[in-house]
Amino acid sequence: MEKRIDSAISTVLAYDADSSLLTFARSLIPISTLISNYNSSSQSPGLSSLEFASLVLSWFKSDFFTWTNKPPCPCGSDGSLRSCTGQRGPITSEERIGLASRVEIWSCSKCGNRNIPFPRYNNPRTLLESSHRQGRCGEFANAFACILTSLGFDTRYVLDFTDHVWVEIYDVIGDRWVCMDACENKADHPGMYEKGWGKKLSYVIGVSREGVKDVTQRYSRRMHTEDFEKRRNLVTEVELSVIVRQKNAIQRRRWGCSDSRAAELDRREAAEEHFFKMCRAAGEADEDAWGEVKERFEGRISGDSFWKSSRGESGAGVLALPPPPPKSTSTSTSTSFMNETFFTSLLGPISQQFKNKKLVGLYFSAHWCGPCRQFTPLLAEFYATHKSLNKDDFEIVFVSGDRDSASYTSYLNTMPWGLGVGFGDGRKDTLNSRFNVSGIPTLIILDGVSGEIVSRDGRKDVIESRGDTELCFASWVSQLPETSLAKHDEVDLGRLQIQEEASERKLAFSDMQNGKLKSTSDTTAEEKKLEISSRVKILFSQFVKKDGEKPNDAAVKAIKLATAPYSTEKSAADFLVKMNGCEKELVSTMLETVIKYLGNIESNATQQRFRNIKVGNKIFHEKVGRVSNSCEFLNEVVGVSYFTNFEGEFVVDIPVYLCDGELKACLEKLGRIKQMI
């Protein structure tokens, strides 16, 4: 166990051991071409760092690295005429420099050549050289991890103990680690190994510059099974935890993590553990975490059919795609299968709203309760998100603890489900007693068929899901008995038919209207018009009051500047100053701060932490965040993205591709704009 983890650590350490390696790796990536091709084919130029990583993934697989089942013979024979006859250690200087772990020896039956060497190189520099850009999964993952590290991504080299390796990168926007398999040209499809290839996983360990992590739970939903536990037998779970914790600490010390960086890594690890906890609860019911259906069930792409079959990774034996449900006019979702006696006795007439629901939530809360007022918006968002996915299988009832009717009505109006047991209703006491509620807020999740309790702490489940609504819901559904799930399958079939028929009617209606319906672009244009109008008023006031312009002249200037504020460097400078009450020093300080931060990024382009700035940072907030239109300015002029992470804190993300030449140009542009202030 430790030996294999140490080997993976050595692979990762090699990327930083040679000071020129990452610069060399970065020089091989056609960044400008990738961005140009994306912009020419996309209707929305500008892409996130994760989207850019996907572009690099496709380039690496298609144009840079080559999969090699069998090394070629100089005679040009067909692969079927070549076979592996053995292996040896490295003996040539090239093999030693390339850190070949072994050299496979192949023979050719066509020409009789019995010494066709295939060195399995581990030196990333060797793998990146034009004459050695080939191999199998080990070489692919090693070279691709080096490429991504050179671009400044926080990168993990992921070791699957059932003989495969791939890469993970950290997505700051999504606050998660994302699987990227260069062999398959697949991003964010963690379920393809177990569900698609049919791999019987045991241990999956991720190794980065800054740590080691057991990430098996991202890739398997069968860890709870007896068969899986028998395979996972190299060490006990406690021993593995100790090994990982020790290796993790060593990696952090090697990399020299600061206290603030260590705190961020701890936060990420805690978030990852919360996700894994939900995965454990969901088990194999968590289909939404596996990506598209096609990706879940197809076998391995890389390698020839014989090689894939010999490794059991062709997908043979894995369940085939389920056939589409047959259309039937006899299926109807109007039939209720719930325990009407149970629900009606507890909730009366509103229980009719629970027909065909998989789950029912009882939310015990009150407006006067502070923790309730904090949790209610989270639950409302959870509910609305689930409903937005066209899910009609969940309902919530507010069981009020308010002290008067007005408070109850006011509080219920903030809840999107709109169902409640209010002030003066005797059923409140019955519900509190029946479910032994001792404090609020409390969210009880019930089986929509039997009324049995699925989760007594739904509040904790929702909070720990960290916005992953469907994963949380799947963890609840996984706890339903087979009898309930079977009844839901019948109803889902009917729902599918109704949705298909409604879709057909909607399409026919849309064709009949022939484009008369209001389009999204019209709405966007209307919003843009209102935004410009607001700007014109501010700019007009500044031109008149601060510059002494005549009203007519001020109006012309305001309209021109409001409609194209960033068309030139001079207009950008004027726009920022005018929108900030002509406080030139304020704007100048903002630009000076941004230039300083971007300069640090340019000098440390291969380290992701320099490209992500928390706006909660006091200096950045005071000198940049409070300047009007600074977000828009950075986005338009530099290409910086603002977004909100799961902690509710604003963060600045510098897309990794900007660090390749474009950042220098941006710095020069910002310097010129600053001089115009």
Side-chain angles (χ1 to χ4, degrees):
M1 170 66 76
E2 288 195 63
K3 186 176 180 180
R4 297 187 70 173
I5 294 177
D6 286 340
S7 176
I9 289 174
S10 298
T11 298
V12 171
L13 292 178
Y15 306 148
D16 296 295
D18 180 348
S19 60
S20 64
L21 174 60
L22 295 181
T23 302
F24 170 60
R26 192 185 183 87
S27 70
L28 301 173
I29 310 167
I31 295 177
S32 299
T33 301
L34 293 176
I35 298 300
S36 176
N37 291 343
Y38 174 86
N39 288 338
S40 63
S41 62
S42 173
Q43 295 181 349
S44 55
L47 67 167
S48 68
S49 292
L50 181 58
E51 290 170 329
F52 177 68
S54 296
L55 293 182
V56 175
L57 174 67
S58 296
W59 159 79
F60 185 90
K61 169 69 174 179
S62 303
D63 304 327
F64 187 76
F65 220 77
T66 303
W67 180 269
T68 303
N69 283 309
K70 303 175 180 181
C73 180
C75 75
S77 63
D78 182 78
S80 62
L81 301 176
R82 298 190 300 277
S83 60
C84 184
T85 57
Q87 63 182 30
R88 59 170 172 79
I91 56 176
T92 69
S93 59
E94 184 179 49
E95 290 167 354
R96 292 194 182 99
I97 292 172
L99 303 178
S101 57
R102 67 185 186 279
V103 180
E104 296 176 2
I105 304 300
W106 291 71
S107 64
C108 175
S109 60
K110 179 179 179 181
C111 67
N113 187 347
R114 297 183 178 278
N115 187 28
I116 307 173
F118 180 25
R120 303 301 304 277
Y121 292 121
N122 284 305
N123 187 334
R125 181 179 285 277
T126 300
L127 292 172
L128 295 177
E129 292 171 351
S130 58
S131 57
H132 299 301
R133 295 172 187 169
Q134 62 174 336
R136 302 191 193 116
C137 55
E139 292 89 344
F140 262 80
N142 193 351
F144 188 56
C146 184
I147 287 286
L148 291 176
T149 301
S150 78
L151 288 168
F153 285 102
D154 284 348
T155 307
R156 278 176 177 166
Y157 179 83
V158 182
L159 175 65
D160 162 26
F161 277 43
T162 57
D163 196 23
H164 188 48
V165 280
W166 59 88
V167 172
E168 288 181 350
I169 62 170
Y170 185 71
D171 173 27
V172 179
I173 294 179
D175 196 24
R176 66 193 181 106
W177 287 92
V178 178
C179 164
M180 306 199 86
D181 193 317
C183 300
E184 306 295 287
N185 190 15
K186 293 289 178 62
D188 203 12
H189 289 290
M192 68 179 175
Y193 306 112
E194 188 173 77
K195 284 282 189 178
W197 297 12
K199 286 182 75 68
K200 296 185 180 298
L201 300 172
S202 57
Y203 297 95
V204 183
I205 307 295
V207 176
S208 71
R209 287 166 164 168
E210 300 170 307
V212 176
K213 181 71 176 176
D214 177 10
V215 296
T216 311
Q217 293 171 90
R218 190 182 339 277
Y219 299 96
S220 176
R221 293 297 182 270
R222 297 173 182 167
M223 289 187 68
H224 63 287
T225 65
E226 183 179 351
D227 183 50
F228 191 99
E229 291 174 354
K230 287 180 180 178
R231 297 195 302 270
R232 195 173 160 96
N233 60 5
L234 296 181
V235 294
T236 67
E237 293 302 317
V238 173
E239 290 171 336
L240 177 60
S241 177
V242 171
I243 292 171
V244 168
R245 190 164 60 250
Q246 291 175 342
K247 303 291 184 186
N248 196 50
I250 292 171
Q251 284 297 91
R252 290 194 186 186
R253 287 198 298 271
R254 277 175 174 156
W255 188 241
C257 290
S258 65
D259 290 343
S260 60
R261 179 61 176 174
E264 169 61 14
L265 294 176
D266 288 340
R267 188 199 65 77
R268 291 182 185 179
E269 187 169 353
E272 197 168 24
E273 281 301 324
H274 280 308
F275 175 76
F276 289 162
K277 179 180 179 181
M278 300 304 297
C279 291
R280 288 195 297 272
E284 292 185 74
D286 175 23
E287 296 295 342
D288 292 303
W290 295 105
E292 298 175 7
V293 171
K294 177 178 180 293
E295 307 298 345
R296 294 204 308 271
F297 290 92
E298 68 181 2
R300 184 170 188 161
I301 295 174
S302 54
D304 62 26
S305 57
F306 176 79
W307 184 80
K308 288 186 289 187
S309 296
S310 68
R311 293 166 58 92
E313 296 172 355
S314 63
V318 179
L319 289 176
L321 281 172
K327 289 189 176 181
S328 170
T329 56
S330 61
T331 305
S332 171
T333 62
S334 61
T335 302
S336 173
F337 50 73
M338 71 175 185
N339 185 340
E340 293 195 43
T341 302
F342 172 82
F343 281 107
T344 302
S345 65
L346 285 176
L347 295 163
I350 61 174
S351 63
Q352 296 303 307
Q353 303 293 326
F354 306 155
K355 287 184 177 180
N356 305 325
K357 307 301 182 189
K358 290 181 181 177
L359 299 168
V360 175
L362 299 180
Y363 180 40
F364 298 83
S365 181
H367 184 266
W368 53 262
C369 168
C372 294
R373 293 196 302 274
Q374 290 180 340
F375 177 65
T376 297
L378 291 178
L379 183 59
E381 182 179 3
F382 180 96
Y383 178 86
T385 299
H386 188 72
K387 289 289 185 180
S388 71
L389 298 173
N390 296 318
K391 299 294 181 69
D392 191 29
D393 51 6
F394 180 46
E395 200 52 80
I396 296 177
V397 178
F398 165 42
V399 183
S400 173
D402 289 301
R403 295 161 180 164
D404 57 72
S405 181
S407 297
Y408 161 70
T409 302
S410 174
Y411 197 26
L412 180 62
N413 287 337
T414 68
M415 303 173 185
W417 47 87
L419 299 175
V421 177
F423 178 79
D425 192 323
R427 288 173 297 179
K428 287 196 309 175
D429 294 335
T430 302
L431 289 166
N432 276 278
S433 175
R434 171 68 174 77
F435 296 103
N436 195 26
V437 176
S438 58
I440 55 174
T442 293
L443 177 63
I444 304 287
I445 303 299
L446 304 178
D447 179 351
V449 175
S450 66
E452 293 298 315
I453 295 175
V454 172
S455 173
R456 285 190 173 276
D457 202 349
R459 176 195 180 197
K460 183 179 180 182
D461 297 337
V462 170
I463 292 173
E464 291 188 349
S465 70
R466 296 179 60 80
D468 197 334
T469 305
E470 295 313 286
L471 182 58
C472 182
F473 193 84
S475 71
W476 289 335
V477 171
S478 69
Q479 298 176 57
L480 295 176
E482 289 296 326
T483 51
S484 295
L485 291 173
K487 293 180 183 295
H488 288 302
D489 286 342
E490 296 175 13
V491 174
D492 286 342
L493 182 63
R495 281 201 186 104
L496 182 61
Q497 178 193 342
I498 291 173
Q499 288 171 1
E500 288 177 347
E501 293 172 352
S503 179
E504 291 171 0
R505 290 194 299 271
K506 184 177 179 181
L507 182 62
F509 176 77
S510 179
D511 291 341
M512 196 167 60
Q513 292 294 308
N514 195 24
K516 292 181 181 179
L517 298 177
K518 186 176 181 181
S519 67
T520 305
S521 59
D522 293 332
T523 304
T524 303
E526 184 66 26
E527 291 174 349
K528 188 69 175 177
K529 185 177 178 181
L530 290 173
E531 181 183 357
I532 291 174
S533 176
S534 176
R535 288 178 175 179
V536 167
K537 292 178 182 178
I538 296 173
L539 294 170
F540 175 80
S541 175
Q542 293 298 317
F543 279 126
V544 172
K545 293 180 180 179
K546 299 289 186 179
D547 296 352
E549 296 278 359
K550 294 180 180 180
N552 286 345
D553 294 336
V556 172
K557 285 187 175 183
I559 292 171
K560 182 178 179 181
L561 189 57
T563 52
Y566 307 110
S567 57
T568 66
E569 292 171 5
K570 182 65 170 65
S571 66
D574 290 343
F575 179 71
L576 274 178
V577 171
K578 291 292 187 293
M579 293 299 288
N580 285 278
C582 291
E583 294 185 32
K584 294 184 178 182
E585 186 63 30
L586 179 70
V587 177
S588 181
T589 300
M590 182 272 282
L591 291 170
E592 185 178 327
T593 304
V594 171
I595 289 171
K596 177 183 176 181
Y597 273 90
L598 295 185
N600 286 337
I601 293 167
E602 186 186 32
S603 302
N604 300 274
T606 61
Q607 296 186 43
Q608 187 180 44
R609 67 177 184 268
F610 285 93
R611 292 189 288 103
N612 308 124
I613 307 162
K614 289 189 176 182
V615 182
N617 177 303
K618 185 177 180 182
I619 295 175
F620 197 89
H621 174 71
E622 290 181 351
K623 296 186 177 181
V624 179
R626 67 191 183 97
V627 176
S628 179
N629 291 89
S630 61
C631 302
E632 179 188 60
F633 171 80
L634 291 174
N635 186 263
E636 293 289 339
V637 177
V638 183
V640 173
S641 299
Y642 272 67
F643 58 89
T644 306
N645 66 12
F646 284 114
E647 302 297 322
E649 181 175 27
F650 284 100
V651 176
V652 185
D653 179 49
I654 312 295
V656 65
Y657 53 85
L658 285 180
C659 300
D660 187 64
E662 289 188 50
L663 197 54
K664 183 177 181 180
C666 287
L667 283 165
E668 293 172 352
K669 182 190 290 187
L670 289 171
R672 292 192 297 269
I673 293 174
K674 184 175 180 294
Q675 291 177 351
M676 297 175 186
I677 300 300

